[in-house]
Amino acid sequence: MVEKVSALISSFMASMGEESVNALYEKVPQGKMLRAKLILEIAKSSKEAPKLAAVVEMIHAASLLHDDVIDEADIRRGAQSFNAECGDKSAIMMGDILYSNAFAKLTEFSSDIAKCVANAVSLLSEGELLDVELSKSFNADKEKYFKMIYGKTASLIEASAKSAALLEGLDADDFALYGKNLGLAFQIIDDVLDVTSTSSMLGKPALNDFKEGKVTLPYLYTYDKCSDKEKKHLQSLHKKSLNSDEIGWIRQKMDDAKAIKHSIDEAKRLGNEALKAIKKYNNKNLENIITQMIERDF
Ligand code: FPP
Ligand code: MG
């Protein structure tokens, strides 16, 4: 079914009638399409579900094109990133084309659905800006971290589930809560994988987040357990290219603080909140999305 969504996005891009855009679009890395899967599963009986899924996936793809420029990332989904291959300028403009096309299609939906998705894109941008700001120095504030991951990741997943519920005539609040908690848990697992995965599994260097300035949940739990002297040392390694001794020291401190276990427990707690929100619908596929997301290793 997600193939139908990919085909729809290609057809939207092709309908612009600009060959050079189509050729460049083929270089945009394809992802897991989590948001499309959610929409197709929740708005099962709606003929409009693939189009809504295409809109959301185009927005998501645009945001990743821009994010890789912001993060100066060379790799995305195990392959060379679009900006590394085609340059920052093309990546920004390709993002703008995807984003504006998605919004043109969004206007074909009812105003409650259009508002829901448009509002999420504002939150997404605010979340990304907060990520940029927090990465400038060592952020030790968990509340700010959660606000940031809600914005940059959970808001669009929340809007995917909520807008699909609106399309299907289901309770929008139940599905919004499911999507929000799924999104928060998803980003925490992403942050854990940056620490625990090998670079070949992840398709990018391990401990990359910390080098980019991102003090994610495993680092926050570790920092909490450090002595004052260790806190200073951890802060001194922030945004640095780490040598093997420094990597070893961080990993040891994380082990001592059980930071990975605590982070996974937090993702599981949020996953359970998501499951609770939709329990009465008894939808095994939506339940499995939570379990698979928490147990994934890439
Ligand atoms: C990835 O975070 C970033 C996001 C999920 C959101 C990016 C949002 C924007 C650039 C603003 C919205 C822009 C448009 C055009 C809609 P990450 O860097 O932590 O994860 P990564 O490891 O996947 O790069
Ligand atoms: Mg990034």
Side-chain angles (χ1 to χ4, degrees):
M1 265 309 250
V2 285
E3 292 76 24
K4 195 173 171 185
V5 177
S6 301
L8 208 51
I9 298 175
S10 298
S11 80
F12 292 161
M13 298 303 278
S15 69
M16 289 177 69
E18 188 52 61
E19 209 25 68
S20 57
V21 171
N22 280 330
L24 272 181
Y25 176 65
E26 283 184 9
K27 294 181 193 286
V28 176
Q30 297 296 304
K32 297 185 276 287
M33 301 199 99
L34 167 70
R35 293 152 191 81
K37 283 180 192 153
L38 279 183
I39 292 170
L40 298 179
E41 183 57 39
I42 296 169
K44 255 198 186 98
S45 67
S46 168
K47 281 211 299 285
E48 298 295 291
K51 186 161 85 177
L52 182 61
V55 165
V56 171
E57 287 294 342
M58 286 164 84
I59 293 169
H60 177 57
S63 78
L64 293 184
L65 286 173
H66 287 188
D67 177 69
D68 282 343
V69 172
I70 293 167
D71 288 343
E72 299 174 30
D74 297 331
I75 292 169
R76 165 70 57 194
R77 293 159 179 163
Q80 200 181 23
S81 64
F82 186 92
N83 48 307
E85 192 179 347
C86 307
D88 285 354
K89 294 177 187 178
S90 297
I92 291 169
M93 291 322 301
M94 199 61 205
D96 287 349
I97 290 169
L98 279 162
Y99 173 67
S100 48
N101 263 334
F103 263 63
K105 297 288 171 203
L106 185 60
T107 61
E108 295 168 14
F109 287 89
S110 63
S111 68
D112 54 351
I113 289 177
K115 267 187 204 152
C116 166
V117 176
N119 180 48
V121 180
S122 295
L123 293 172
L124 190 67
S125 308
E126 285 167 30
E128 181 79 350
L129 183 62
L130 187 56
D131 197 14
V132 169
E133 291 299 317
L134 292 181
S135 301
K136 286 181 178 166
S137 55
F138 190 99
N139 169 56
D141 185 337
K142 276 196 214 68
E143 220 173 287
K144 286 186 183 157
Y145 165 82
F146 276 103
K147 187 174 180 212
M148 182 273 290
I149 66 166
Y150 168 65
K152 84 166 174 183
T153 304
S155 62
L156 190 59
I157 299 179
E158 175 183 48
S160 304
K162 182 177 174 181
S163 58
L166 289 167
L167 199 58
E168 187 73 9
L170 296 169
D171 186 311
D173 290 342
D174 288 345
F175 286 90
L177 194 56
Y178 165 84
K180 178 182 175 178
N181 286 310
L182 166 63
L184 291 170
F186 179 89
Q187 187 58 49
I188 292 173
I189 295 296
D190 216 53
D191 293 344
V192 164
L193 290 174
D194 185 80
V195 174
T196 57
S197 299
T198 59
S199 44
S200 61
M201 281 159 84
L202 211 56
K204 58 185 174 187
L207 301 194
N208 192 48
D209 283 344
F210 200 56
K211 185 169 175 271
E212 284 183 353
K214 298 174 191 193
V215 184
T216 58
L217 197 56
Y219 294 89
L220 289 166
Y221 285 135
T222 306
Y223 185 79
D224 278 353
K225 292 275 181 228
C226 281
S227 67
D228 287 349
K229 196 174 157 211
E230 290 166 341
K231 280 190 165 87
K232 280 210 177 72
H233 187 53
L234 187 59
Q235 283 175 331
S236 75
L237 301 178
H238 180 239
K239 293 184 95 157
K240 267 188 57 183
S241 276
L242 302 171
N243 65 34
S244 56
D245 283 354
E246 291 166 336
I247 291 176
W249 185 83
I250 292 180
R251 291 203 190 279
Q252 185 58 53
K253 288 295 135 199
M254 280 192 175
D255 273 0
D256 295 349
K258 298 190 172 57
I260 296 301
K261 182 187 180 304
H262 291 319
S263 301
I264 294 173
D265 285 349
E266 180 60 12
K268 284 185 178 159
R269 187 190 69 74
L270 290 159
N272 283 329
E273 289 297 313
L275 291 175
K276 254 202 295 189
I278 54 146
K279 194 169 189 296
K280 64 176 181 225
Y281 300 94
N282 203 13
N283 182 324
K284 286 279 161 272
N285 291 337
L286 289 180
E287 289 172 12
N288 288 340
I289 285 178
I290 301 284
T291 328
Q292 286 162 10
M293 184 276 302
I294 290 175
E295 287 168 4
R296 79 201 153 101
D297 56 10
F298 63 93

